[in-house]
Amino acid sequence: MSKTILIHGFAVGLTTPIFRPGFGVSAGFSAWKKPIAAGEAAVFYWGINRQVNLWQILNPFFLRDHYEDEKILAQATETFERLKVFLEQARPTKIVCHSMGGFLLNQYCKKFSLPSSVQKIFLVQGDLSIKDKINFPVDNLSVYNIFCPWDPTLLISWIYNRVWRVGLGPIKVAGVQNIFFPLWRPINFHTSGLRDDKLVKLIEAK
């Protein structure tokens, strides 16, 4: 049993031999390495694994296509069934979702119930549209939207999807608590929180 489940976001499975060798068992949640090693936290892996070259990583059209492919996977029945088994085995009290991982869990909750052990959900820089209906059972658990308005990845997602993303600012949804958490760790601000011990402590304190 792991008290915290971590659901990663977009492009975690994209690797290059030199410039992007992979995120390892933490799937980018590097600030959670100790809880993962101790069995207190566990990562649900769901993305597409692709080894690519540097030019593909820098090609916005390739990244767009990969984004669309993973968005389809984040809504697939097979993904939901894997997550259902994973959650039932782990029986977590907290679920922390980053970026598209929040979209995945929100879509999951349209069709499946969360284990009764789950008490809190944390959306970290969530790549969900503000027009998306929040499907989490907010009457039975606490939901936190952790946001930062200068997330460059979500600003690009906003432009591409043409709808504001919940990870960029507070949302007015009954039962959802908004928390501003500044992103400051280079190079990728979008994953700054996942590399910040302060975020781990904030979530542990809730």
Side-chain angles (χ1 to χ4, degrees):
M1 293 176 61
S2 299
K3 69 177 184 179
T4 302
I5 291 303
L6 310 168
I7 303 179
H8 66 77
F10 166 66
V12 166
L14 279 186
T15 60
T16 65
I18 298 175
F19 298 98
R20 191 182 168 96
F23 294 97
V25 295
S26 70
F29 287 90
S30 57
W32 275 266
K33 281 185 177 179
K34 289 184 178 179
I36 291 172
E40 297 172 357
V43 178
F44 175 71
Y45 299 91
W46 65 272
I48 298 170
N49 293 321
R50 285 175 176 162
Q51 187 172 78
V52 297
N53 58 47
L54 178 61
W55 309 117
Q56 288 173 298
I57 286 290
L58 298 176
N59 183 342
F61 298 105
F62 172 81
L63 293 176
R64 175 202 62 194
D65 292 344
H66 189 76
Y67 179 88
E68 291 296 339
D69 288 345
E70 290 209 326
K71 197 169 185 179
I72 291 170
L73 185 60
Q75 303 174 76
T77 299
E78 180 183 351
T79 304
F80 294 161
E81 290 175 346
R82 286 182 53 238
L83 179 57
K84 183 176 186 294
V85 172
F86 192 88
L87 292 174
E88 288 176 347
Q89 292 177 345
R91 303 293 297 175
T93 57
K94 297 178 180 179
I95 302 177
V96 180
C97 310
H98 179 246
S99 192
M100 196 182 284
F103 173 78
L104 188 161
L105 186 65
N106 194 46
Q107 294 296 113
Y108 173 88
C109 287
K110 283 184 178 180
K111 298 181 178 181
F112 295 92
S113 299
L114 295 171
S116 59
S117 61
V118 177
Q119 300 172 9
K120 298 170 184 178
I121 293 174
F122 298 84
L123 297 174
V124 180
Q125 302 308 122
D127 190 15
L128 289 80
S129 160
I130 56 168
K131 294 183 178 180
D132 287 335
K133 181 181 182 296
I134 297 298
N135 299 305
F136 307 130
V138 293
D139 293 335
N140 300 321
L141 48 77
S142 300
V143 178
Y144 300 88
N145 176 44
I146 300 176
F147 70 90
C148 181
W150 59 78
D151 183 328
T153 301
L154 290 185
L155 289 171
I156 292 171
S157 179
W158 169 36
I159 294 169
Y160 174 69
N161 290 291
R162 301 182 181 180
V163 185
W164 187 255
R165 318 316 282 173
V166 302
L168 289 170
I171 57 175
K172 296 180 180 179
V173 177
V176 176
Q177 302 177 53
N178 295 288
I179 301 175
F180 167 64
F181 188 85
L183 306 177
W184 62 275
R185 290 177 178 265
I187 297 175
N188 185 356
F189 277 12
H190 185 55
T191 62
S192 173
L194 308 187
R195 295 175 277 122
D196 196 331
D197 291 337
K198 291 181 180 179
L199 181 59
V200 179
K201 291 177 181 177
L202 185 156
I203 289 174
E204 287 181 345
K206 294 294 181 181

